[in-house]
Amino acid sequence: MQVSKPKFSGKQITKAGKFLAFGNYEDNSEFNHCFDVLVFWRSEHSDSLEMAFTLLQKVVLPIEKDALFAKRLKRYVSIVSKLQRFESMTLKKMQDIGGCRAVVSSEKKVRKITRELRKNNTFKYSDNRFRFKDYITNPKPDGYRSYHIIGQFPSKDKTLKNIEVQIRTYLQHYWATALEIIDLFTNQSLKTNQGKKEWEDFFRLVGSLFSVLDKVTNYHNLSLEDRISGYFIKSEQSKVDTGEMLDSLAKIIRKLDVVKLFSSFANSLKIVGDELKDHEEAGYILLVIDPDNGQLEYTIFNQRDSDSAQEKYAHQESVAASPHNNLIVALVYTSSIEDVKEAYPNFFADSSRFIEHLTTLIHAEKIVRQSVIRRTMSNLF
């Protein structure tokens, strides 16, 4: 069977990316052309992404049967932002246009999964090397932690496309999505190191302290009291002065009124759509968020309707790309639609799980502070 030629050449794809990143958007005809090129190139990753997702599930489920899975084609605004931030980056060479993720309960399982993935030649390039970033061993400066590995998977035109696979713990997941909530509702860009210092310090400290909680055995099944106890045991084994970090974190939490602020974001977003809990099957969800009016609308697509979902996704993105528009558009996929808020809590301003684990640290800080007070009083008398 003869393989159809691509609709756009590699040079056209690269050129379109440059225009979308740095061109004059008032030239509607050029913008529309370049946007069509981007949508075409992104859609070319669909089959590759599906293969990567299937492989990820095959590797992860025997290790953690209740793992959380998600996949997505990168949002237009995220693609353009990345092209603007990295001078050498091109649309044609971008490695994470398609991405899928598994969220599991512990770093130990993350490591086991990554070892299994690296046994698959899909992740080994022609130079016999792996393309990966271990942000758990070497966190980003902002505190981000996760493990990324790039694989090459066949697409509809039989060429190999790069797909990024992420494996992270639940605590790392809640941290990352909480940061995105702050970016969304405070017009910052902490994700690209362009945020207010107090928030940068907050997330960096929480990231470090969550990494201590991640080392507590069976952490997610423990009571609050046992979580705190486990935290102190693991913090004593740590080479970092976690006591000082807790003190600094508590001061920022009080100053920014963090818990109340996150709650206000969740309450400000009116969700318009069907009840997600009534849809247990896998599928796509098109999200359209209007932060100015505090409204989120979503449309559910069955797994077999991916083409229709992508078509409507592209249309909504073209609307959102207007300079006078502040809409946020995303097309996400989960293995169970009712779990979409767990997989993408940032789009629903749902920080409840993040606050739950932040509360563990808040209680731990109170215990440390009370202990210091008691010692001080004992020395005085």
Side-chain angles (χ1 to χ4, degrees):
M1 184 178 70
Q2 187 176 5
V3 179
S4 60
K5 293 182 179 180
K7 186 176 179 182
F8 299 104
S9 68
K11 287 184 178 180
Q12 288 175 306
I13 293 166
T14 298
K15 184 178 178 180
K18 287 182 179 179
F19 176 85
L20 292 171
F22 305 107
N24 180 5
Y25 276 38
E26 292 181 4
D27 185 346
N28 288 331
S29 61
E30 184 66 13
F31 169 78
N32 290 335
H33 168 73
C34 292
F35 185 84
D36 287 344
V37 175
L38 182 147
V39 170
F40 158 78
W41 181 238
R42 185 171 62 185
S43 69
E44 287 293 288
H45 291 72
S46 298
D47 290 355
S48 306
L49 177 57
E50 184 60 37
M51 291 185 67
F53 189 71
T54 300
L55 174 61
L56 181 63
Q57 289 181 307
K58 182 179 178 181
V59 170
V60 172
L61 286 174
I63 296 171
E64 180 153 334
K65 62 182 179 63
D66 295 323
L68 182 66
F69 295 97
K71 66 178 180 180
R72 61 96 182 105
L73 290 170
K74 200 173 186 72
R75 296 191 300 137
Y76 158 80
V77 67
S78 298
I79 291 173
V80 171
S81 175
K82 191 165 187 177
L83 290 170
Q84 292 170 337
R85 293 198 320 272
F86 300 102
E87 187 176 342
S88 61
M89 179 65 65
T90 68
L91 179 58
K92 180 72 165 59
K93 294 181 179 179
M94 195 172 290
Q95 295 185 328
D96 61 344
I97 288 178
C100 53
R101 173 190 302 151
V103 184
V104 295
S105 58
S106 69
E107 285 188 15
K108 184 177 180 180
K109 289 185 177 180
V110 170
R111 296 301 179 192
K112 188 172 182 179
I113 291 164
T114 58
R115 286 196 298 270
E116 290 300 313
L117 288 175
R118 288 171 69 112
K119 291 177 182 177
N120 194 300
N121 287 332
T122 304
F123 295 99
K124 190 176 290 187
Y125 280 63
S126 57
D127 59 3
N128 212 34
R129 296 175 63 185
F130 294 98
R131 303 288 192 272
F132 72 96
K133 293 287 186 181
D134 184 353
Y135 293 119
I136 297 176
T137 301
N138 300 295
K140 289 186 178 182
D142 62 3
Y144 175 85
R145 289 167 169 80
S146 182
Y147 187 97
H148 298 186
I149 186 167
I150 307 294
Q152 293 185 307
F153 297 85
S155 62
K156 64 181 71 174
D157 66 358
K158 308 303 179 184
T159 62
L160 296 175
K161 298 291 189 296
N162 292 318
I163 301 294
E164 181 182 78
V165 176
Q166 297 181 5
I167 309 96
R168 59 171 63 157
T169 69
Y170 278 98
L171 285 169
Q172 291 161 359
H173 180 59
Y174 300 144
W175 180 97
T177 52
L179 182 142
E180 290 178 356
I181 290 172
I182 294 298
D183 274 357
L184 176 62
F185 284 91
T186 65
N187 294 316
Q188 297 184 69
S189 187
L190 294 163
K191 202 172 180 182
T192 59
N193 302 313
Q194 299 175 55
K196 295 179 180 178
K197 185 179 185 305
E198 286 174 328
W199 280 110
E200 289 177 347
D201 291 343
F202 170 78
F203 279 105
R204 186 167 55 252
L205 288 166
V206 174
S208 295
L209 293 167
F210 270 15
S211 72
V212 178
L213 295 179
D214 251 333
K215 292 177 174 57
V216 177
T217 303
N218 205 31
Y219 170 83
H220 294 279
N221 295 321
L222 300 177
S223 65
L224 175 60
E225 184 180 45
D226 288 339
R227 287 177 176 180
I228 295 169
S229 176
Y231 165 80
F232 283 119
I233 292 171
K234 293 300 179 182
S235 63
E236 285 182 6
Q237 299 171 359
S238 173
K239 298 177 182 179
V240 182
D241 186 354
T242 56
E244 185 175 330
M245 293 170 66
L246 274 178
D247 180 62
S248 298
L249 177 62
K251 290 175 180 175
I252 296 174
I253 290 173
R254 289 192 290 269
K255 184 174 181 179
L256 297 177
D257 206 356
V258 168
V259 177
K260 183 178 179 180
L261 191 65
F262 271 109
S263 178
S264 71
F265 295 153
N267 293 332
S268 70
L269 196 63
K270 180 184 178 183
I271 301 174
V272 181
D274 298 323
E275 286 297 321
L276 291 168
K277 64 183 179 182
D278 295 335
H279 299 268
E280 297 180 358
E281 71 276 13
Y284 297 87
I285 304 173
L286 177 62
L287 301 164
V288 181
I289 305 168
D290 183 351
D292 293 337
N293 296 311
Q295 185 167 295
L296 180 152
E297 296 186 15
Y298 62 85
T299 307
I300 296 173
F301 298 87
N302 292 325
Q303 190 169 5
R304 62 182 177 273
D305 296 329
S306 62
D307 290 343
S308 177
Q310 288 189 48
E311 182 180 335
K312 292 185 179 180
Y313 177 34
H315 170 71
Q316 287 288 358
E317 281 195 307
S318 67
V319 173
S322 166
H324 308 293
N325 205 318
N326 198 30
L327 294 179
I328 296 164
V329 181
L331 180 67
V332 300
Y333 173 95
T334 61
S335 50
S336 176
I337 288 175
E338 65 178 351
D339 291 336
V340 68
K341 286 183 69 175
E342 181 80 358
Y344 296 95
N346 47 309
F347 291 129
F348 294 84
D350 182 6
S351 57
S352 56
R353 294 298 184 94
F354 174 76
I355 296 301
E356 173 189 340
H357 304 297
L358 183 66
T359 299
T360 302
L361 300 177
I362 291 172
H363 282 284
E365 188 276 332
K366 287 179 181 178
I367 292 172
V368 171
R369 180 156 38 92
Q370 290 167 358
S371 176
V372 170
I373 292 172
R374 284 195 296 270
R375 286 200 305 269
T376 301
M377 295 299 291
S378 176
N379 291 336
L380 287 174
F381 299 100

PDB file of all heavy atoms in Angstrom, residues 248-269:
ATOM      1  N   SER A 248      10.629  28.426  57.289  1.00  0.00           N
ATOM      2  CA  SER A 248      10.516  29.366  56.174  1.00  0.00           C
ATOM      3  C   SER A 248       9.200  29.170  55.428  1.00  0.00           C
ATOM      4  O   SER A 248       8.536  30.143  55.036  1.00  0.00           O
ATOM      5  CB  SER A 248      11.689  29.175  55.200  1.00  0.00           C
ATOM      6  OG  SER A 248      12.925  29.449  55.828  1.00  0.00           O
ATOM      7  N   LEU A 249       8.808  27.911  55.253  1.00  0.00           N
ATOM      8  CA  LEU A 249       7.564  27.618  54.554  1.00  0.00           C
ATOM      9  C   LEU A 249       6.367  28.155  55.333  1.00  0.00           C
ATOM     10  O   LEU A 249       5.456  28.764  54.752  1.00  0.00           O
ATOM     11  CB  LEU A 249       7.418  26.108  54.350  1.00  0.00           C
ATOM     12  CG  LEU A 249       6.113  25.644  53.689  1.00  0.00           C
ATOM     13  CD1 LEU A 249       5.991  26.211  52.279  1.00  0.00           C
ATOM     14  CD2 LEU A 249       6.042  24.118  53.660  1.00  0.00           C
ATOM     15  N   ALA A 250       6.362  27.948  56.640  1.00  0.00           N
ATOM     16  CA  ALA A 250       5.242  28.403  57.469  1.00  0.00           C
ATOM     17  C   ALA A 250       5.068  29.914  57.385  1.00  0.00           C
ATOM     18  O   ALA A 250       3.941  30.419  57.330  1.00  0.00           O
ATOM     19  CB  ALA A 250       5.461  27.971  58.914  1.00  0.00           C
ATOM     20  N   LYS A 251       6.163  30.639  57.348  1.00  0.00           N
ATOM     21  CA  LYS A 251       6.087  32.104  57.247  1.00  0.00           C
ATOM     22  C   LYS A 251       5.461  32.535  55.920  1.00  0.00           C
ATOM     23  O   LYS A 251       4.653  33.468  55.869  1.00  0.00           O
ATOM     24  CB  LYS A 251       7.488  32.702  57.399  1.00  0.00           C
ATOM     25  CG  LYS A 251       8.055  32.588  58.816  1.00  0.00           C
ATOM     26  CD  LYS A 251       9.498  33.092  58.885  1.00  0.00           C
ATOM     27  CE  LYS A 251      10.043  32.956  60.303  1.00  0.00           C
ATOM     28  NZ  LYS A 251      11.481  33.321  60.391  1.00  0.00           N
ATOM     29  N   ILE A 252       5.845  31.856  54.843  1.00  0.00           N
ATOM     30  CA  ILE A 252       5.279  32.195  53.530  1.00  0.00           C
ATOM     31  C   ILE A 252       3.794  31.848  53.483  1.00  0.00           C
ATOM     32  O   ILE A 252       2.978  32.616  52.948  1.00  0.00           O
ATOM     33  CB  ILE A 252       6.035  31.452  52.413  1.00  0.00           C
ATOM     34  CG1 ILE A 252       7.487  31.915  52.343  1.00  0.00           C
ATOM     35  CG2 ILE A 252       5.354  31.679  51.062  1.00  0.00           C
ATOM     36  CD1 ILE A 252       8.340  31.137  51.355  1.00  0.00           C
ATOM     37  N   ILE A 253       3.432  30.688  54.043  1.00  0.00           N
ATOM     38  CA  ILE A 253       2.029  30.268  54.052  1.00  0.00           C
ATOM     39  C   ILE A 253       1.161  31.303  54.768  1.00  0.00           C
ATOM     40  O   ILE A 253       0.078  31.664  54.301  1.00  0.00           O
ATOM     41  CB  ILE A 253       1.880  28.880  54.713  1.00  0.00           C
ATOM     42  CG1 ILE A 253       2.478  27.797  53.806  1.00  0.00           C
ATOM     43  CG2 ILE A 253       0.411  28.571  55.011  1.00  0.00           C
ATOM     44  CD1 ILE A 253       2.534  26.423  54.439  1.00  0.00           C
ATOM     45  N   ARG A 254       1.652  31.783  55.898  1.00  0.00           N
ATOM     46  CA  ARG A 254       0.888  32.787  56.652  1.00  0.00           C
ATOM     47  C   ARG A 254       0.820  34.108  55.894  1.00  0.00           C
ATOM     48  O   ARG A 254      -0.231  34.753  55.841  1.00  0.00           O
ATOM     49  CB  ARG A 254       1.510  33.000  58.036  1.00  0.00           C
ATOM     50  CG  ARG A 254       1.312  31.822  58.983  1.00  0.00           C
ATOM     51  CD  ARG A 254       1.676  32.189  60.405  1.00  0.00           C
ATOM     52  NE  ARG A 254       3.117  32.381  60.568  1.00  0.00           N
ATOM     53  CZ  ARG A 254       3.962  31.417  60.923  1.00  0.00           C
ATOM     54  NH1 ARG A 254       3.511  30.175  61.110  1.00  0.00           N
ATOM     55  NH2 ARG A 254       5.245  31.659  61.069  1.00  0.00           N
ATOM     56  N   LYS A 255       1.927  34.516  55.291  1.00  0.00           N
ATOM     57  CA  LYS A 255       1.962  35.801  54.601  1.00  0.00           C
ATOM     58  C   LYS A 255       1.059  35.816  53.380  1.00  0.00           C
ATOM     59  O   LYS A 255       0.330  36.791  53.123  1.00  0.00           O
ATOM     60  CB  LYS A 255       3.402  36.133  54.192  1.00  0.00           C
ATOM     61  CG  LYS A 255       3.545  37.505  53.542  1.00  0.00           C
ATOM     62  CD  LYS A 255       5.004  37.855  53.295  1.00  0.00           C
ATOM     63  CE  LYS A 255       5.128  39.246  52.675  1.00  0.00           C
ATOM     64  NZ  LYS A 255       6.543  39.622  52.438  1.00  0.00           N
ATOM     65  N   LEU A 256       1.095  34.745  52.601  1.00  0.00           N
ATOM     66  CA  LEU A 256       0.291  34.669  51.377  1.00  0.00           C
ATOM     67  C   LEU A 256      -1.121  34.140  51.626  1.00  0.00           C
ATOM     68  O   LEU A 256      -1.952  34.171  50.716  1.00  0.00           O
ATOM     69  CB  LEU A 256       0.994  33.770  50.346  1.00  0.00           C
ATOM     70  CG  LEU A 256       2.352  34.237  49.831  1.00  0.00           C
ATOM     71  CD1 LEU A 256       2.951  33.193  48.882  1.00  0.00           C
ATOM     72  CD2 LEU A 256       2.246  35.579  49.126  1.00  0.00           C
ATOM     73  N   ASP A 257      -1.362  33.657  52.840  1.00  0.00           N
ATOM     74  CA  ASP A 257      -2.651  33.039  53.181  1.00  0.00           C
ATOM     75  C   ASP A 257      -2.981  31.956  52.155  1.00  0.00           C
ATOM     76  O   ASP A 257      -4.059  31.940  51.531  1.00  0.00           O
ATOM     77  CB  ASP A 257      -3.761  34.091  53.218  1.00  0.00           C
ATOM     78  CG  ASP A 257      -4.913  33.671  54.135  1.00  0.00           C
ATOM     79  OD1 ASP A 257      -4.858  32.536  54.653  1.00  0.00           O
ATOM     80  OD2 ASP A 257      -5.846  34.470  54.331  1.00  0.00           O
ATOM     81  N   VAL A 258      -2.026  31.041  52.000  1.00  0.00           N
ATOM     82  CA  VAL A 258      -2.043  30.072  50.903  1.00  0.00           C
ATOM     83  C   VAL A 258      -3.302  29.205  50.874  1.00  0.00           C
ATOM     84  O   VAL A 258      -3.957  29.064  49.829  1.00  0.00           O
ATOM     85  CB  VAL A 258      -0.784  29.185  50.974  1.00  0.00           C
ATOM     86  CG1 VAL A 258      -0.919  27.992  50.025  1.00  0.00           C
ATOM     87  CG2 VAL A 258       0.456  29.994  50.624  1.00  0.00           C
ATOM     88  N   VAL A 259      -3.667  28.634  52.017  1.00  0.00           N
ATOM     89  CA  VAL A 259      -4.797  27.697  52.046  1.00  0.00           C
ATOM     90  C   VAL A 259      -6.092  28.406  51.643  1.00  0.00           C
ATOM     91  O   VAL A 259      -6.877  27.897  50.833  1.00  0.00           O
ATOM     92  CB  VAL A 259      -4.934  27.050  53.434  1.00  0.00           C
ATOM     93  CG1 VAL A 259      -6.159  26.139  53.477  1.00  0.00           C
ATOM     94  CG2 VAL A 259      -3.674  26.251  53.778  1.00  0.00           C
ATOM     95  N   LYS A 260      -6.315  29.588  52.172  1.00  0.00           N
ATOM     96  CA  LYS A 260      -7.519  30.358  51.849  1.00  0.00           C
ATOM     97  C   LYS A 260      -7.520  30.762  50.376  1.00  0.00           C
ATOM     98  O   LYS A 260      -8.561  30.732  49.706  1.00  0.00           O
ATOM     99  CB  LYS A 260      -7.604  31.595  52.742  1.00  0.00           C
ATOM    100  CG  LYS A 260      -8.868  32.414  52.530  1.00  0.00           C
ATOM    101  CD  LYS A 260      -8.913  33.600  53.482  1.00  0.00           C
ATOM    102  CE  LYS A 260     -10.169  34.436  53.263  1.00  0.00           C
ATOM    103  NZ  LYS A 260     -10.224  35.592  54.184  1.00  0.00           N
ATOM    104  N   LEU A 261      -6.352  31.112  49.853  1.00  0.00           N
ATOM    105  CA  LEU A 261      -6.248  31.548  48.464  1.00  0.00           C
ATOM    106  C   LEU A 261      -6.593  30.420  47.506  1.00  0.00           C
ATOM    107  O   LEU A 261      -7.362  30.608  46.553  1.00  0.00           O
ATOM    108  CB  LEU A 261      -4.834  32.068  48.188  1.00  0.00           C
ATOM    109  CG  LEU A 261      -4.621  32.797  46.861  1.00  0.00           C
ATOM    110  CD1 LEU A 261      -5.437  34.082  46.823  1.00  0.00           C
ATOM    111  CD2 LEU A 261      -3.141  33.111  46.658  1.00  0.00           C
ATOM    112  N   PHE A 262      -6.040  29.242  47.745  1.00  0.00           N
ATOM    113  CA  PHE A 262      -6.351  28.101  46.885  1.00  0.00           C
ATOM    114  C   PHE A 262      -7.846  27.789  46.936  1.00  0.00           C
ATOM    115  O   PHE A 262      -8.459  27.458  45.914  1.00  0.00           O
ATOM    116  CB  PHE A 262      -5.542  26.874  47.302  1.00  0.00           C
ATOM    117  CG  PHE A 262      -4.201  26.764  46.632  1.00  0.00           C
ATOM    118  CD1 PHE A 262      -3.033  26.965  47.340  1.00  0.00           C
ATOM    119  CD2 PHE A 262      -4.112  26.448  45.286  1.00  0.00           C
ATOM    120  CE1 PHE A 262      -1.787  26.865  46.727  1.00  0.00           C
ATOM    121  CE2 PHE A 262      -2.874  26.337  44.660  1.00  0.00           C
ATOM    122  CZ  PHE A 262      -1.714  26.548  45.383  1.00  0.00           C
ATOM    123  N   SER A 263      -8.425  27.881  48.105  1.00  0.00           N
ATOM    124  CA  SER A 263      -9.850  27.623  48.257  1.00  0.00           C
ATOM    125  C   SER A 263     -10.680  28.627  47.466  1.00  0.00           C
ATOM    126  O   SER A 263     -11.682  28.265  46.836  1.00  0.00           O
ATOM    127  CB  SER A 263     -10.236  27.676  49.736  1.00  0.00           C
ATOM    128  OG  SER A 263     -11.614  27.482  49.910  1.00  0.00           O
ATOM    129  N   SER A 264     -10.261  29.874  47.471  1.00  0.00           N
ATOM    130  CA  SER A 264     -10.997  30.903  46.735  1.00  0.00           C
ATOM    131  C   SER A 264     -10.944  30.654  45.232  1.00  0.00           C
ATOM    132  O   SER A 264     -11.919  30.912  44.515  1.00  0.00           O
ATOM    133  CB  SER A 264     -10.441  32.291  47.063  1.00  0.00           C
ATOM    134  OG  SER A 264      -9.149  32.485  46.496  1.00  0.00           O
ATOM    135  N   PHE A 265      -9.823  30.138  44.738  1.00  0.00           N
ATOM    136  CA  PHE A 265      -9.714  29.825  43.313  1.00  0.00           C
ATOM    137  C   PHE A 265     -10.719  28.732  42.937  1.00  0.00           C
ATOM    138  O   PHE A 265     -11.402  28.811  41.916  1.00  0.00           O
ATOM    139  CB  PHE A 265      -8.307  29.378  42.949  1.00  0.00           C
ATOM    140  CG  PHE A 265      -7.257  30.437  43.117  1.00  0.00           C
ATOM    141  CD1 PHE A 265      -5.936  30.099  43.383  1.00  0.00           C
ATOM    142  CD2 PHE A 265      -7.573  31.776  43.004  1.00  0.00           C
ATOM    143  CE1 PHE A 265      -4.961  31.073  43.528  1.00  0.00           C
ATOM    144  CE2 PHE A 265      -6.607  32.758  43.154  1.00  0.00           C
ATOM    145  CZ  PHE A 265      -5.296  32.400  43.426  1.00  0.00           C
ATOM    146  N   ALA A 266     -10.791  27.696  43.774  1.00  0.00           N
ATOM    147  CA  ALA A 266     -11.705  26.580  43.508  1.00  0.00           C
ATOM    148  C   ALA A 266     -13.152  27.052  43.518  1.00  0.00           C
ATOM    149  O   ALA A 266     -13.961  26.653  42.675  1.00  0.00           O
ATOM    150  CB  ALA A 266     -11.498  25.479  44.537  1.00  0.00           C
ATOM    151  N   ASN A 267     -13.477  27.928  44.448  1.00  0.00           N
ATOM    152  CA  ASN A 267     -14.858  28.413  44.563  1.00  0.00           C
ATOM    153  C   ASN A 267     -15.225  29.402  43.468  1.00  0.00           C
ATOM    154  O   ASN A 267     -16.408  29.619  43.186  1.00  0.00           O
ATOM    155  CB  ASN A 267     -15.064  29.066  45.929  1.00  0.00           C
ATOM    156  CG  ASN A 267     -14.972  28.063  47.065  1.00  0.00           C
ATOM    157  OD1 ASN A 267     -15.263  26.884  46.883  1.00  0.00           O
ATOM    158  ND2 ASN A 267     -14.562  28.521  48.233  1.00  0.00           N
ATOM    159  N   SER A 268     -14.213  30.012  42.848  1.00  0.00           N
ATOM    160  CA  SER A 268     -14.485  31.038  41.850  1.00  0.00           C
ATOM    161  C   SER A 268     -14.786  30.460  40.472  1.00  0.00           C
ATOM    162  O   SER A 268     -15.274  31.160  39.592  1.00  0.00           O
ATOM    163  CB  SER A 268     -13.284  31.993  41.729  1.00  0.00           C
ATOM    164  OG  SER A 268     -12.179  31.342  41.122  1.00  0.00           O
ATOM    165  N   LEU A 269     -14.509  29.163  40.272  1.00  0.00           N
ATOM    166  CA  LEU A 269     -14.658  28.566  38.950  1.00  0.00           C
ATOM    167  C   LEU A 269     -15.978  27.806  38.856  1.00  0.00           C
ATOM    168  O   LEU A 269     -16.172  26.781  39.504  1.00  0.00           O
ATOM    169  CB  LEU A 269     -13.482  27.623  38.668  1.00  0.00           C
ATOM    170  CG  LEU A 269     -13.277  27.219  37.209  1.00  0.00           C
ATOM    171  CD1 LEU A 269     -12.945  28.428  36.349  1.00  0.00           C
ATOM    172  CD2 LEU A 269     -12.146  26.192  37.103  1.00  0.00           C
TER     173      LEU A 269
END
